[in-house]
mmCIF file of all heavy atoms in Angstrom:
data_model
loop_
_atom_site.group_PDB
_atom_site.id
_atom_site.type_symbol
_atom_site.label_atom_id
_atom_site.label_comp_id
_atom_site.label_asym_id
_atom_site.label_seq_id
_atom_site.Cartn_x
_atom_site.Cartn_y
_atom_site.Cartn_z
ATOM 1 N N ARG A 1 -10.003 13.350 -2.350
ATOM 2 C CA ARG A 1 -11.083 12.459 -2.405
ATOM 3 C C ARG A 1 -11.386 12.114 -0.891
ATOM 4 O O ARG A 1 -10.600 12.198 0.045
ATOM 5 C CB ARG A 1 -10.690 11.159 -3.135
ATOM 6 C CG ARG A 1 -9.478 10.462 -2.610
ATOM 7 C CD ARG A 1 -9.004 9.271 -3.537
ATOM 8 N NE ARG A 1 -7.685 8.862 -3.231
ATOM 9 C CZ ARG A 1 -7.446 7.720 -2.517
ATOM 10 N NH1 ARG A 1 -8.388 6.995 -2.173
ATOM 11 N NH2 ARG A 1 -6.168 7.463 -2.292
ATOM 12 N N CYS A 2 -12.649 11.750 -0.806
ATOM 13 C CA CYS A 2 -13.235 11.557 0.547
ATOM 14 C C CYS A 2 -12.862 10.092 1.057
ATOM 15 O O CYS A 2 -12.900 9.108 0.203
ATOM 16 C CB CYS A 2 -14.727 11.671 0.571
ATOM 17 S SG CYS A 2 -15.555 11.284 2.081
ATOM 18 N N VAL A 3 -12.424 9.935 2.220
ATOM 19 C CA VAL A 3 -12.225 8.566 2.852
ATOM 20 C C VAL A 3 -13.071 8.468 4.117
ATOM 21 O O VAL A 3 -12.857 9.266 5.060
ATOM 22 C CB VAL A 3 -10.791 8.414 3.255
ATOM 23 C CG1 VAL A 3 -10.460 7.035 3.854
ATOM 24 C CG2 VAL A 3 -9.815 8.510 1.980
ATOM 25 N N ASN A 4 -13.998 7.535 4.184
ATOM 26 C CA ASN A 4 -14.836 7.394 5.308
ATOM 27 C C ASN A 4 -14.120 6.776 6.495
ATOM 28 O O ASN A 4 -13.376 5.838 6.322
ATOM 29 C CB ASN A 4 -16.039 6.617 4.926
ATOM 30 C CG ASN A 4 -17.134 6.559 6.024
ATOM 31 O OD1 ASN A 4 -17.643 7.603 6.430
ATOM 32 N ND2 ASN A 4 -17.482 5.417 6.456
ATOM 33 N N THR A 5 -14.442 7.190 7.661
ATOM 34 C CA THR A 5 -13.951 6.580 8.996
ATOM 35 C C THR A 5 -15.148 6.333 9.820
ATOM 36 O O THR A 5 -16.220 6.890 9.562
ATOM 37 C CB THR A 5 -12.980 7.481 9.639
ATOM 38 O OG1 THR A 5 -13.542 8.697 10.001
ATOM 39 C CG2 THR A 5 -11.774 7.697 8.796
ATOM 40 N N PHE A 6 -14.993 5.650 10.948
ATOM 41 C CA PHE A 6 -16.095 5.364 11.811
ATOM 42 C C PHE A 6 -16.484 6.625 12.565
ATOM 43 O O PHE A 6 -15.718 7.228 13.304
ATOM 44 C CB PHE A 6 -15.805 4.257 12.751
ATOM 45 C CG PHE A 6 -16.912 3.918 13.685
ATOM 46 C CD1 PHE A 6 -18.002 3.189 13.190
ATOM 47 C CD2 PHE A 6 -17.051 4.378 14.992
ATOM 48 C CE1 PHE A 6 -19.088 2.837 14.019
ATOM 49 C CE2 PHE A 6 -18.039 4.006 15.875
ATOM 50 C CZ PHE A 6 -19.057 3.229 15.364
ATOM 51 N N GLY A 7 -17.661 7.185 12.269
ATOM 52 C CA GLY A 7 -17.998 8.440 12.925
ATOM 53 C C GLY A 7 -17.578 9.726 12.320
ATOM 54 O O GLY A 7 -17.999 10.809 12.634
ATOM 55 N N SER A 8 -16.761 9.627 11.135
ATOM 56 C CA SER A 8 -16.371 10.891 10.482
ATOM 57 C C SER A 8 -15.887 10.595 9.096
ATOM 58 O O SER A 8 -16.171 9.546 8.571
ATOM 59 C CB SER A 8 -15.261 11.558 11.351
ATOM 60 O OG SER A 8 -15.012 12.809 10.900
ATOM 61 N N TYR A 9 -15.065 11.405 8.597
ATOM 62 C CA TYR A 9 -14.299 11.173 7.227
ATOM 63 C C TYR A 9 -13.127 12.070 7.193
ATOM 64 O O TYR A 9 -13.013 13.044 7.953
ATOM 65 C CB TYR A 9 -15.329 11.454 6.131
ATOM 66 C CG TYR A 9 -15.591 12.892 5.954
ATOM 67 C CD1 TYR A 9 -14.901 13.744 5.025
ATOM 68 C CD2 TYR A 9 -16.710 13.563 6.614
ATOM 69 C CE1 TYR A 9 -15.177 15.116 4.828
ATOM 70 C CE2 TYR A 9 -16.894 14.863 6.471
ATOM 71 C CZ TYR A 9 -16.229 15.697 5.615
ATOM 72 O OH TYR A 9 -16.525 16.994 5.460
ATOM 73 N N TYR A 10 -12.222 11.912 6.229
ATOM 74 C CA TYR A 10 -11.214 12.849 5.934
ATOM 75 C C TYR A 10 -10.993 12.921 4.553
ATOM 76 O O TYR A 10 -11.444 12.109 3.760
ATOM 77 C CB TYR A 10 -9.924 12.460 6.816
ATOM 78 C CG TYR A 10 -9.145 11.210 6.309
ATOM 79 C CD1 TYR A 10 -8.146 11.246 5.330
ATOM 80 C CD2 TYR A 10 -9.488 10.055 6.811
ATOM 81 C CE1 TYR A 10 -7.584 10.094 4.958
ATOM 82 C CE2 TYR A 10 -8.920 8.836 6.426
ATOM 83 C CZ TYR A 10 -7.928 8.930 5.590
ATOM 84 O OH TYR A 10 -7.342 7.732 5.111
ATOM 85 N N CYS A 11 -10.324 14.091 4.028
ATOM 86 C CA CYS A 11 -10.060 14.202 2.659
ATOM 87 C C CYS A 11 -8.599 13.880 2.362
ATOM 88 O O CYS A 11 -7.711 14.385 3.093
ATOM 89 C CB CYS A 11 -10.380 15.649 2.278
ATOM 90 S SG CYS A 11 -12.111 16.060 2.488
ATOM 91 N N LYS A 12 -8.360 13.101 1.377
ATOM 92 C CA LYS A 12 -7.008 12.679 0.858
ATOM 93 C C LYS A 12 -6.792 13.075 -0.454
ATOM 94 O O LYS A 12 -7.629 13.230 -1.258
ATOM 95 C CB LYS A 12 -7.008 11.125 1.049
ATOM 96 C CG LYS A 12 -5.600 10.517 0.839
ATOM 97 C CD LYS A 12 -5.803 8.992 0.997
ATOM 98 C CE LYS A 12 -4.490 8.335 0.822
ATOM 99 N NZ LYS A 12 -4.433 6.900 0.967
ATOM 100 N N CYS A 13 -5.446 13.435 -0.717
ATOM 101 C CA CYS A 13 -5.080 13.759 -2.090
ATOM 102 C C CYS A 13 -5.516 12.728 -3.087
ATOM 103 O O CYS A 13 -5.348 11.519 -2.821
ATOM 104 C CB CYS A 13 -3.600 14.041 -2.235
ATOM 105 S SG CYS A 13 -3.081 15.521 -1.401
ATOM 106 N N GLN A 14 -6.081 13.118 -4.327
ATOM 107 C CA GLN A 14 -6.380 12.092 -5.378
ATOM 108 C C GLN A 14 -4.999 11.435 -5.768
ATOM 109 O O GLN A 14 -3.972 11.920 -5.626
ATOM 110 C CB GLN A 14 -6.928 12.862 -6.553
ATOM 111 C CG GLN A 14 -8.229 13.516 -6.323
ATOM 112 C CD GLN A 14 -9.428 12.565 -6.537
ATOM 113 O OE1 GLN A 14 -9.200 11.376 -6.574
ATOM 114 N NE2 GLN A 14 -10.573 13.089 -6.630
ATOM 115 N N LEU A 15 -5.187 10.294 -6.341
ATOM 116 C CA LEU A 15 -4.083 9.573 -6.932
ATOM 117 C C LEU A 15 -3.375 10.463 -7.980
ATOM 118 O O LEU A 15 -4.082 11.144 -8.799
ATOM 119 C CB LEU A 15 -4.479 8.265 -7.580
ATOM 120 C CG LEU A 15 -4.977 7.238 -6.605
ATOM 121 C CD1 LEU A 15 -5.491 5.956 -7.388
ATOM 122 C CD2 LEU A 15 -3.877 6.775 -5.807
ATOM 123 N N GLY A 16 -2.067 10.531 -7.999
ATOM 124 C CA GLY A 16 -1.395 11.461 -8.840
ATOM 125 C C GLY A 16 -1.036 12.794 -8.294
ATOM 126 O O GLY A 16 -0.401 13.654 -8.859
ATOM 127 N N TYR A 17 -1.451 13.008 -7.008
ATOM 128 C CA TYR A 17 -1.305 14.196 -6.361
ATOM 129 C C TYR A 17 -0.630 13.911 -4.860
ATOM 130 O O TYR A 17 -0.844 12.848 -4.431
ATOM 131 C CB TYR A 17 -2.470 15.098 -6.091
ATOM 132 C CG TYR A 17 -3.135 15.639 -7.401
ATOM 133 C CD1 TYR A 17 -4.048 14.768 -8.106
ATOM 134 C CD2 TYR A 17 -2.739 16.876 -7.907
ATOM 135 C CE1 TYR A 17 -4.497 15.262 -9.322
ATOM 136 C CE2 TYR A 17 -3.350 17.367 -8.990
ATOM 137 C CZ TYR A 17 -4.173 16.554 -9.814
ATOM 138 O OH TYR A 17 -4.691 16.996 -11.021
ATOM 139 N N GLU A 18 0.141 14.850 -4.410
ATOM 140 C CA GLU A 18 0.729 14.623 -2.984
ATOM 141 C C GLU A 18 0.558 15.860 -2.257
ATOM 142 O O GLU A 18 0.402 16.990 -2.768
ATOM 143 C CB GLU A 18 2.147 14.166 -3.080
ATOM 144 C CG GLU A 18 3.072 15.221 -3.696
ATOM 145 C CD GLU A 18 4.496 14.783 -3.808
ATOM 146 O OE1 GLU A 18 4.855 13.667 -3.242
ATOM 147 O OE2 GLU A 18 5.215 15.416 -4.482
ATOM 148 N N LEU A 19 0.354 15.672 -0.869
ATOM 149 C CA LEU A 19 0.179 16.776 0.005
ATOM 150 C C LEU A 19 1.482 17.510 0.297
ATOM 151 O O LEU A 19 2.483 16.914 0.683
ATOM 152 C CB LEU A 19 -0.377 16.327 1.308
ATOM 153 C CG LEU A 19 -0.928 17.357 2.329
ATOM 154 C CD1 LEU A 19 -2.152 18.161 1.688
ATOM 155 C CD2 LEU A 19 -1.347 16.760 3.616
ATOM 156 N N LYS A 20 1.604 18.828 -0.014
ATOM 157 C CA LYS A 20 2.760 19.599 0.197
ATOM 158 C C LYS A 20 2.406 20.942 0.871
ATOM 159 O O LYS A 20 1.276 21.438 0.606
ATOM 160 C CB LYS A 20 3.499 19.836 -1.100
ATOM 161 C CG LYS A 20 4.266 18.630 -1.629
ATOM 162 C CD LYS A 20 5.276 19.029 -2.690
ATOM 163 C CE LYS A 20 6.098 17.879 -3.089
ATOM 164 N NZ LYS A 20 7.024 18.180 -4.238
ATOM 165 N N TYR A 21 3.423 21.525 1.542
ATOM 166 C CA TYR A 21 3.141 22.788 2.272
ATOM 167 C C TYR A 21 3.705 23.811 1.192
ATOM 168 O O TYR A 21 4.920 23.876 0.958
ATOM 169 C CB TYR A 21 4.010 22.864 3.541
ATOM 170 C CG TYR A 21 3.680 24.045 4.332
ATOM 171 C CD1 TYR A 21 2.455 24.120 5.069
ATOM 172 C CD2 TYR A 21 4.534 25.106 4.510
ATOM 173 C CE1 TYR A 21 2.142 25.149 5.830
ATOM 174 C CE2 TYR A 21 4.238 26.247 5.231
ATOM 175 C CZ TYR A 21 3.006 26.214 5.962
ATOM 176 O OH TYR A 21 2.664 27.289 6.645
ATOM 177 N N VAL A 22 2.804 24.560 0.639
ATOM 178 C CA VAL A 22 3.022 25.566 -0.392
ATOM 179 C C VAL A 22 2.443 26.951 -0.008
ATOM 180 O O VAL A 22 1.257 26.948 0.323
ATOM 181 C CB VAL A 22 2.601 25.069 -1.802
ATOM 182 C CG1 VAL A 22 2.965 26.126 -2.868
ATOM 183 C CG2 VAL A 22 3.118 23.660 -2.119
ATOM 184 N N SER A 23 3.254 27.941 -0.068
ATOM 185 C CA SER A 23 2.742 29.355 0.127
ATOM 186 C C SER A 23 1.957 29.503 1.396
ATOM 187 O O SER A 23 0.774 30.024 1.453
ATOM 188 C CB SER A 23 1.883 29.853 -1.031
ATOM 189 O OG SER A 23 2.572 29.748 -2.309
ATOM 190 N N GLY A 24 2.390 28.964 2.478
ATOM 191 C CA GLY A 24 1.813 29.076 3.786
ATOM 192 C C GLY A 24 0.664 28.097 4.098
ATOM 193 O O GLY A 24 0.006 28.280 5.177
ATOM 194 N N HIS A 25 0.313 27.210 3.206
ATOM 195 C CA HIS A 25 -0.770 26.192 3.525
ATOM 196 C C HIS A 25 -0.470 24.913 2.828
ATOM 197 O O HIS A 25 0.275 24.847 1.889
ATOM 198 C CB HIS A 25 -2.157 26.785 3.255
ATOM 199 C CG HIS A 25 -2.304 27.076 1.828
ATOM 200 N ND1 HIS A 25 -1.873 28.043 1.018
ATOM 201 C CD2 HIS A 25 -3.065 26.235 0.858
ATOM 202 C CE1 HIS A 25 -2.260 27.916 -0.200
ATOM 203 N NE2 HIS A 25 -2.937 26.826 -0.344
ATOM 204 N N TYR A 26 -1.183 23.844 3.351
ATOM 205 C CA TYR A 26 -1.130 22.507 2.691
ATOM 206 C C TYR A 26 -2.056 22.516 1.533
ATOM 207 O O TYR A 26 -3.144 22.986 1.544
ATOM 208 C CB TYR A 26 -1.336 21.453 3.718
ATOM 209 C CG TYR A 26 -0.279 21.149 4.682
ATOM 210 C CD1 TYR A 26 -0.409 21.768 5.952
ATOM 211 C CD2 TYR A 26 0.787 20.342 4.352
ATOM 212 C CE1 TYR A 26 0.606 21.540 6.878
ATOM 213 C CE2 TYR A 26 1.826 20.162 5.285
ATOM 214 C CZ TYR A 26 1.682 20.757 6.516
ATOM 215 O OH TYR A 26 2.754 20.559 7.461
ATOM 216 N N ASP A 27 -1.531 21.916 0.393
ATOM 217 C CA ASP A 27 -2.321 21.695 -0.757
ATOM 218 C C ASP A 27 -1.959 20.391 -1.504
ATOM 219 O O ASP A 27 -0.794 19.909 -1.354
ATOM 220 C CB ASP A 27 -2.150 22.849 -1.706
ATOM 221 C CG ASP A 27 -3.195 23.077 -2.678
ATOM 222 O OD1 ASP A 27 -4.200 22.398 -2.632
ATOM 223 O OD2 ASP A 27 -3.148 23.923 -3.650
ATOM 224 N N CYS A 28 -2.753 19.868 -2.333
ATOM 225 C CA CYS A 28 -2.487 18.700 -3.086
ATOM 226 C C CYS A 28 -1.983 19.121 -4.383
ATOM 227 O O CYS A 28 -2.646 19.882 -5.140
ATOM 228 C CB CYS A 28 -3.708 17.867 -3.351
ATOM 229 S SG CYS A 28 -4.356 17.218 -1.840
ATOM 230 N N VAL A 29 -0.690 18.807 -4.646
ATOM 231 C CA VAL A 29 -0.039 19.238 -5.912
ATOM 232 C C VAL A 29 0.280 18.024 -6.787
ATOM 233 O O VAL A 29 0.488 16.963 -6.246
ATOM 234 C CB VAL A 29 1.273 20.087 -5.660
ATOM 235 C CG1 VAL A 29 0.933 21.344 -4.941
ATOM 236 C CG2 VAL A 29 2.289 19.279 -4.808
ATOM 237 N N ASP A 30 0.325 18.261 -8.038
ATOM 238 C CA ASP A 30 0.606 17.216 -9.064
ATOM 239 C C ASP A 30 1.903 16.508 -8.765
ATOM 240 O O ASP A 30 2.889 17.171 -8.533
ATOM 241 C CB ASP A 30 0.577 17.801 -10.449
ATOM 242 C CG ASP A 30 0.881 16.814 -11.466
ATOM 243 O OD1 ASP A 30 0.319 15.639 -11.538
ATOM 244 O OD2 ASP A 30 1.806 17.079 -12.354
ATOM 245 N N VAL A 31 1.962 15.148 -8.835
ATOM 246 C CA VAL A 31 3.195 14.412 -8.799
ATOM 247 C C VAL A 31 3.712 14.343 -10.099
ATOM 248 O O VAL A 31 3.002 13.913 -11.090
ATOM 249 C CB VAL A 31 2.936 13.138 -8.170
ATOM 250 C CG1 VAL A 31 4.239 12.148 -8.309
ATOM 251 C CG2 VAL A 31 2.517 13.078 -6.739
ATOM 252 N N ASN A 32 4.915 14.733 -10.485
ATOM 253 C CA ASN A 32 5.555 14.611 -11.780
ATOM 254 C C ASN A 32 6.278 13.253 -11.830
ATOM 255 O O ASN A 32 7.338 13.171 -11.472
ATOM 256 C CB ASN A 32 6.560 15.826 -12.094
ATOM 257 C CG ASN A 32 7.037 15.835 -13.467
ATOM 258 O OD1 ASN A 32 7.010 14.773 -14.151
ATOM 259 N ND2 ASN A 32 7.406 16.941 -13.929
ATOM 260 N N GLU A 33 5.479 12.227 -12.388
ATOM 261 C CA GLU A 33 6.028 10.945 -12.376
ATOM 262 C C GLU A 33 7.195 10.789 -13.310
ATOM 263 O O GLU A 33 8.026 9.915 -13.042
ATOM 264 C CB GLU A 33 4.916 9.947 -12.874
ATOM 265 C CG GLU A 33 3.678 9.808 -12.022
ATOM 266 C CD GLU A 33 2.626 10.912 -12.102
ATOM 267 O OE1 GLU A 33 2.780 11.786 -13.005
ATOM 268 O OE2 GLU A 33 1.685 10.784 -11.394
ATOM 269 N N CYS A 34 7.370 11.671 -14.228
ATOM 270 C CA CYS A 34 8.503 11.657 -15.126
ATOM 271 C C CYS A 34 9.870 12.053 -14.402
ATOM 272 O O CYS A 34 10.843 11.454 -14.608
ATOM 273 C CB CYS A 34 8.338 12.626 -16.292
ATOM 274 S SG CYS A 34 6.791 12.176 -17.244
ATOM 275 N N VAL A 35 9.618 12.951 -13.454
ATOM 276 C CA VAL A 35 10.796 13.400 -12.664
ATOM 277 C C VAL A 35 11.192 12.408 -11.615
ATOM 278 O O VAL A 35 12.253 12.173 -11.267
ATOM 279 C CB VAL A 35 10.650 14.883 -12.073
ATOM 280 C CG1 VAL A 35 11.702 15.209 -11.144
ATOM 281 C CG2 VAL A 35 10.465 15.871 -13.245
ATOM 282 N N THR A 36 10.100 11.916 -10.907
ATOM 283 C CA THR A 36 10.337 10.953 -9.777
ATOM 284 C C THR A 36 10.607 9.501 -10.298
ATOM 285 O O THR A 36 10.947 8.664 -9.532
ATOM 286 C CB THR A 36 9.079 10.858 -8.932
ATOM 287 O OG1 THR A 36 7.946 10.469 -9.676
ATOM 288 C CG2 THR A 36 8.814 12.326 -8.245
ATOM 289 N N ASN A 37 10.563 9.365 -11.567
ATOM 290 C CA ASN A 37 10.907 8.098 -12.253
ATOM 291 C C ASN A 37 9.908 6.967 -11.705
ATOM 292 O O ASN A 37 10.464 5.779 -11.502
ATOM 293 C CB ASN A 37 12.417 7.699 -12.042
ATOM 294 C CG ASN A 37 12.863 6.916 -13.163
ATOM 295 O OD1 ASN A 37 12.277 6.904 -14.268
ATOM 296 N ND2 ASN A 37 13.948 6.090 -12.983
ATOM 297 N N THR A 38 8.787 7.247 -11.592
ATOM 298 C CA THR A 38 7.784 6.325 -11.145
ATOM 299 C C THR A 38 6.665 5.955 -12.205
ATOM 300 O O THR A 38 5.693 5.505 -11.942
ATOM 301 C CB THR A 38 7.087 6.745 -9.875
ATOM 302 O OG1 THR A 38 6.409 8.048 -10.158
ATOM 303 C CG2 THR A 38 7.972 6.904 -8.653
ATOM 304 N N HIS A 39 7.023 6.241 -13.486
ATOM 305 C CA HIS A 39 6.133 6.142 -14.547
ATOM 306 C C HIS A 39 5.911 4.790 -15.135
ATOM 307 O O HIS A 39 4.867 4.354 -15.570
ATOM 308 C CB HIS A 39 6.485 7.198 -15.612
ATOM 309 C CG HIS A 39 7.937 7.111 -16.105
ATOM 310 N ND1 HIS A 39 8.498 6.065 -16.844
ATOM 311 C CD2 HIS A 39 8.932 7.899 -15.756
ATOM 312 C CE1 HIS A 39 9.705 6.334 -17.066
ATOM 313 N NE2 HIS A 39 10.042 7.340 -16.396
ATOM 314 N N GLY A 40 7.044 3.971 -15.243
ATOM 315 C CA GLY A 40 6.970 2.691 -15.823
ATOM 316 C C GLY A 40 6.909 2.641 -17.376
ATOM 317 O O GLY A 40 6.513 1.696 -18.013
ATOM 318 N N CYS A 41 7.252 3.817 -18.012
ATOM 319 C CA CYS A 41 7.344 3.875 -19.478
ATOM 320 C C CYS A 41 8.523 2.960 -19.941
ATOM 321 O O CYS A 41 9.478 2.753 -19.258
ATOM 322 C CB CYS A 41 7.560 5.380 -19.919
ATOM 323 S SG CYS A 41 6.277 6.482 -19.582
ATOM 324 N N ASN A 42 8.332 2.514 -21.193
ATOM 325 C CA ASN A 42 9.293 1.663 -21.783
ATOM 326 C C ASN A 42 10.715 2.517 -21.910
ATOM 327 O O ASN A 42 10.652 3.710 -22.048
ATOM 328 C CB ASN A 42 8.877 1.274 -23.204
ATOM 329 C CG ASN A 42 9.772 0.214 -23.867
ATOM 330 O OD1 ASN A 42 10.823 0.613 -24.487
ATOM 331 N ND2 ASN A 42 9.384 -0.959 -23.674
ATOM 332 N N LEU A 43 11.794 1.757 -21.961
ATOM 333 C CA LEU A 43 13.146 2.383 -22.081
ATOM 334 C C LEU A 43 13.177 3.156 -23.427
ATOM 335 O O LEU A 43 13.840 4.158 -23.493
ATOM 336 C CB LEU A 43 14.238 1.288 -22.207
ATOM 337 C CG LEU A 43 15.616 1.654 -22.203
ATOM 338 C CD1 LEU A 43 16.089 2.406 -21.008
ATOM 339 C CD2 LEU A 43 16.578 0.434 -22.390
ATOM 340 N N HIS A 44 12.380 2.803 -24.465
ATOM 341 C CA HIS A 44 12.464 3.517 -25.788
ATOM 342 C C HIS A 44 11.179 4.445 -25.869
ATOM 343 O O HIS A 44 10.641 4.644 -27.003
ATOM 344 C CB HIS A 44 12.327 2.467 -26.949
ATOM 345 C CG HIS A 44 13.597 1.574 -26.821
ATOM 346 N ND1 HIS A 44 14.853 2.013 -27.083
ATOM 347 C CD2 HIS A 44 13.673 0.215 -26.529
ATOM 348 C CE1 HIS A 44 15.776 0.966 -26.923
ATOM 349 N NE2 HIS A 44 15.006 -0.121 -26.595
ATOM 350 N N ALA A 45 10.710 4.936 -24.810
ATOM 351 C CA ALA A 45 9.588 5.851 -24.744
ATOM 352 C C ALA A 45 9.867 7.117 -24.010
ATOM 353 O O ALA A 45 10.732 7.100 -23.102
ATOM 354 C CB ALA A 45 8.322 5.169 -24.127
ATOM 355 N N GLU A 46 9.166 8.211 -24.312
ATOM 356 C CA GLU A 46 9.211 9.372 -23.515
ATOM 357 C C GLU A 46 8.056 9.487 -22.542
ATOM 358 O O GLU A 46 6.966 9.149 -22.833
ATOM 359 C CB GLU A 46 9.192 10.593 -24.459
ATOM 360 C CG GLU A 46 10.272 10.780 -25.424
ATOM 361 C CD GLU A 46 10.036 12.014 -26.364
ATOM 362 O OE1 GLU A 46 9.531 12.968 -25.905
ATOM 363 O OE2 GLU A 46 10.493 11.838 -27.520
#
């Protein structure tokens, strides 16, 4: 997604994605909230 700055702009990973170095270049890859345990699901939920 685009982020405006004074005189320019930069591109930032969308929410739910993070910047990682993969196969020789940087890319925005999906964050697996279930593995990172950042989901907030109920204790009795998957």
Side-chain angles (χ1 to χ4, degrees):
R1 60 187 165 103
C2 181
V3 179
N4 188 55
T5 62
F6 184 75
S8 190
Y9 71 95
Y10 67 94
C11 299
K12 184 177 180 178
C13 291
Q14 294 275 16
L15 292 173
Y17 294 87
E18 63 185 347
L19 192 64
K20 283 195 175 177
Y21 191 73
V22 181
S23 306
H25 67 282
Y26 286 96
D27 200 7
C28 293
V29 295
D30 176 53
V31 174
N32 188 334
E33 294 84 1
C34 301
V35 172
T36 60
N37 206 24
T38 56
H39 50 77
C41 294
N42 188 276
L43 182 64
H44 302 291
E46 293 178 35

